[in-house]
Amino acid sequence: QESMHAYAANVYTTVIEELMKGKQRKFIAVEQEFFRLWWDMVATDTQKQQVHQLLQEGRLEFVIGGQVMHDEAVTLIDDQILQLTEGHGFLYETFGFRPQFSWHVDPFGASATTPTLFALAGFNAHLISRIDYDLKADMQKNKKLQFVWQGSPSLSERQEIFTHVMDQYSYCTPSQLPFSNRSGFFWNGLATFPDPPKDGVYPNMSLPVTDANLHLYAQTMVANIKERAAWFRTGDVLWPWGCDKQFFNASVQYSNMDLLVDYINKHSGEFGVTVQYATVSDYFQAVYSRNLTWETRDSQDFLPYSTEPFQAWTGFYTSRSTLKGIARKASSLLHAGESFFTQYVRKHPEGSICKCKALKQLQSLRWAVSEVQHHDGITGTESPKVKDMYLNNLMYGMFNVKKLMASIIFDINNAKKNGEVYSSVFTKGSGKPDVDQYVVVYNPLAWNVTTFVTVSVSNEAVSVYDELGRSVPAQVQSSVESQSTYDLYILVAISGLSYRKYSIKALNGKQSAFIGRSIKYKRRDFTRADQQSPQLFPVVNGCYQIVFDQNTNLMHSITERETNQTVQFTQEFLEYHVNGDTMKGPISDNYLFAPNASAVPVSKAVGLEVMSGSLMTEIRQYFYSNVTSQDYIYAVYTRLYSVPEGYDGKLLCHRIEQEYSVGPLELNREAVLRTSTSLNTRQLLYTDNNGYQMQKRPFKAYVNNTVARNYYPMVQTAYIEDDTTRLMLLAERAHGVSSQKNGQVEVMLHRRLWNNLQWDLNNNLTLNDSSVVRPVIWLILGTKAVTNTLYQTSGLALEHRPVVMFGALSGDKPKLPRRLQQNSVHDSPVAVPPNLHLQTLSIPGWKYSSNHAEQVRSIRMGKQRQGDADFSRVLLRIRHLYEVGEDPVLSQPMMVDLKSLLKGLGSVTAVEERSLTGTWDVNTLERWKWKTAQYPGKRFFNSTEASEDYIVTVHPKEIRTFFVYFQVQ
């Protein structure tokens, strides 16, 4: 909001005014969040008309067009698509405009998912900047900064995209003037917060262009243009004019720019250069028309990112872990709320909930989840008050969506007649633990799910019943979090996109939940354990035997029972001590990780408690700095599940769930969990790009900073393996991860830092994060073949855990209408095979026509923003989870009959296949085809084969997007 007031609103207001004054002037704009705030809150009708005109003339151009310029390292693909779709929907609805170029100049490293997404969205070229300094120098020298990037190995040339890497000057104009000690080219000066100066005189305004210095200014600019021209293959040089927080005072900027541009062009013979204002589209059009043959790059990404030998930008993979966790929780709740609302609108057209209000509740969370994907959002690289804004917006949106889901259930069940009360809806522990209650559990995945949900209760003598009054397996035990309550684990089996209702009652003599029994082991000093032979005891379920050593209270080994393969397996917490004094050497901050030595073990003694019951065993390990310490500093809760006969327990059985408690840390400590195994991994690690595809991460030795430069982001998945066995880690928030030794994998869980770098202090970027974090990681151990079949579905099961809503019970037994029983207990309304994921099922509410000519016509006639949201159009996305050749069965293309897939929602009357964000009909989308040695012909190409009779074949790694229309009820 401050930025809007002090800076962003002035950019749009003054730039629009200046563009209207000179036909030659142009401007590009990226992030829709700021533009939309200006458009809705500041812009006059005249300014709005001018924006329409400038877009039609191609002098104002939106590039990327998402809500934000998203981070590429720690964001999930679903959220990248969401924020892109959110911005594109607004642009298309308001202007009929569809961005076709990217400007990803500021994310800290580049993922290989991004070029694929932008290709799927219909972009013709992609532009990045921040890649390793040494790699950039090499590419620059060899004129290799431009290439055709095949970001996905399975989609290869169909979704490749021409990519431009900015040279060493990146996206800012170099400001040094050889003829003056004042800066050049930035006549705006610096934006001042929170209020602009009254007299319009800003700090650091550059030396104005005058008759006296015009020639010198022009020489300086031309020299820089020629220096850069030598690094590219064509005579077209992209010269970005601007930088962070520029053009808020556009009249002084453009008037000086005009003088220089005109002067150079008048003397182009002498200078050997002509200059023109351009958009990104103008630049790429010029390069494309040269008709050169370009090298291709495979699916390797550009992570991690270093700016100099001791500046590895690998700290932000973990910074502000709480924000990272809540952002993902919000994303998951949004996914659930969207499909829940879509089903409600389709199946209950007579329902009493106001659809427009419901859509606003969903939109508040779409906006919050979109904005936090910013490269200074979920990254944890913002000041505390901005972090608090993100969190407040996320919590507000989550509250809205939970309220909506509760009111939908209330409405469907017509609860008033049953005398039931639906209390507010919140996660774990929000039920009233002291009275009989019920929980409604919604499964947001389009597969059947068997899992446990946890509820807080005040008494261990409880029973759980389903809708038909049948007893449900459950286990109750003393809570990890509080002395006075108990954790009740309920085994739920729910079909896809359905909900079940469970009653929890204080015991009245009938069968009750199993009670978990506790055994406490004496606290052990494990530094002295080497002299003794291990005293081992096993914890077993159907898939694993985990062995602990009573001498140390640490894990000792895990046996995968099907193959009888045993892996030595130990875990410990360590801390990297880092420097905060710039006088003493490299520092760690929100962005950077700069350890000054190897990580140091944090504890000498471990306490152990084993809670065992028939459904679950929970091993609680508490790590103390020594045997006599009062309080533990770290804890691990390891859960192993056993599933009774008659339930599909495959995923549950293969899951070793770990929850950690970390913090508050001491200052300048970075906490890692290091898992050491007997696997001969040759120090090779695999980590995911954005939950979409895996990257191979061989350990690289560097002259400096080797530890930090071998850290990679894990958004959802990481694994290590040897010839026979693989250990997979699945996460519910992003972490930095590394393999510093053979057989090892370490995950950074938390950071707390303070430094005296002036820039960090000015921006309050010191990450003095005193929180306790509670991340969860699921471990899967097994053969490559077994882990291959499990990891995709398991990763999504962790990401999209069931949504639990609470209500109080009144009276003896609720009388449920038959309809609810049918809906919730029987067939799933929408179910997909296990290698596909129903990525999106929502009602976007856009008012635009899906016929482009019609949409443009209605905008020209000024009709586009009238009328209510459109509730008849359903947005459907289906994603194939596997790569070509990854698995003999699951990597096969899948045929999907959309009519039959969606029959639970009604009778499908029309399906339109669209580009990723919905703004193009794929049959009319023709992306530029850049020439490569592999494909020497230069042609346009369409994205996919057309679907006949509602049957589509989804190939490995494809993401297919459809608009679906149903028969009106």
Side-chain angles (χ1 to χ4, degrees), residues 29-34 36 62-70 80-88 91 99 118 123 370:
V30 179
E31 297 181 310
Q32 290 311 300
E33 174 140 343
F34 276 130
R36 288 171 77 172
F62 290 114
V63 285
I64 309 180
Q67 276 295 91
V68 295
M69 186 190 296
H70 67 254
Q80 297 178 349
I81 295 172
L82 170 79
Q83 76 83 20
L84 210 54
T85 304
E86 183 67 23
H88 285 190
L91 285 175
F118 287 163
F123 287 18
S370 293

Side-chain angles (χ1 to χ4, degrees), residues 312-533:
W313 295 51
T314 57
F316 80 91
Y317 302 159
T318 306
S319 296
R320 300 207 190 285
S321 178
T322 302
L323 175 64
K324 286 176 164 63
I326 288 174
R328 283 275 279 278
K329 213 169 249 172
S331 155
S332 165
L333 179 67
L334 177 63
H335 175 261
E338 296 279 16
S339 64
F340 204 58
F341 176 64
T342 303
Q343 292 184 75
Y344 175 74
V345 169
R346 291 293 329 129
K347 294 192 224 166
H348 301 277
E350 76 299 336
S352 67
I353 289 174
C354 167
K355 290 190 296 209
C356 290
K357 184 184 170 202
L359 189 62
K360 284 202 166 64
Q361 290 174 302
L362 286 166
Q363 282 166 337
S364 71
L365 190 53
R366 288 177 193 167
W367 183 286
V369 173
S370 293
E371 77 180 2
V372 78
Q373 307 310 317
H374 188 279
H375 57 274
D376 281 313
I378 195 167
T379 49
T381 54
E382 67 283 272
S383 70
K385 70 174 172 186
V386 178
K387 177 252 316 177
D388 291 340
M389 178 209 73
Y390 284 125
L391 285 173
N392 289 338
N393 291 355
L394 289 164
M395 300 304 273
Y396 173 72
M398 288 167 81
F399 177 77
N400 277 334
V401 169
K402 286 189 167 166
K403 214 157 76 175
L404 171 63
M405 292 177 79
S407 53
I408 286 175
I409 291 171
F410 188 78
D411 191 57
I412 292 174
N413 292 338
N414 202 348
K416 298 180 189 75
K417 287 181 193 154
N418 300 336
E420 295 177 21
V421 185
Y422 277 70
S423 65
S424 177
V425 186
F426 266 103
T427 43
K428 190 162 157 184
S430 66
K432 294 205 168 51
D434 51 334
V435 293
D436 287 355
Q437 58 176 321
Y438 62 81
V439 290
V440 175
V441 184
Y442 176 64
N443 167 22
L445 289 166
W447 311 302
N448 296 344
V449 164
T450 302
T451 190
F452 283 94
V453 296
T454 318
V455 179
S456 247
V457 291
S458 59
N459 193 328
E460 56 177 31
V462 291
S463 301
V464 182
Y465 302 98
D466 68 8
E467 301 91 335
L468 303 177
R470 296 172 302 202
S471 181
V472 175
Q475 179 171 322
V476 65
Q477 58 198 36
S478 65
S479 167
V480 162
E481 299 201 357
S482 96
Q483 307 293 304
S484 57
T485 61
Y486 296 87
D487 291 337
L488 174 65
Y489 287 81
I490 304 171
L491 181 63
V492 299
I494 312 178
S495 31
L497 302 191
S498 304
Y499 66 87
R500 301 276 311 259
K501 182 167 162 181
Y502 300 91
S503 313
I504 302 167
K505 302 195 160 185
L507 203 53
N508 44 12
K510 293 204 228 50
Q511 185 192 346
S512 68
F514 300 111
I515 293 178
R517 293 289 172 220
S518 156
I519 305 171
K520 286 198 167 91
Y521 293 85
K522 199 174 147 203
R523 197 187 296 184
R524 296 289 184 175
D525 180 344
F526 64 79
T527 54
R528 301 218 186 107
D530 295 346
Q531 299 92 17
Q532 302 151 321
S533 57

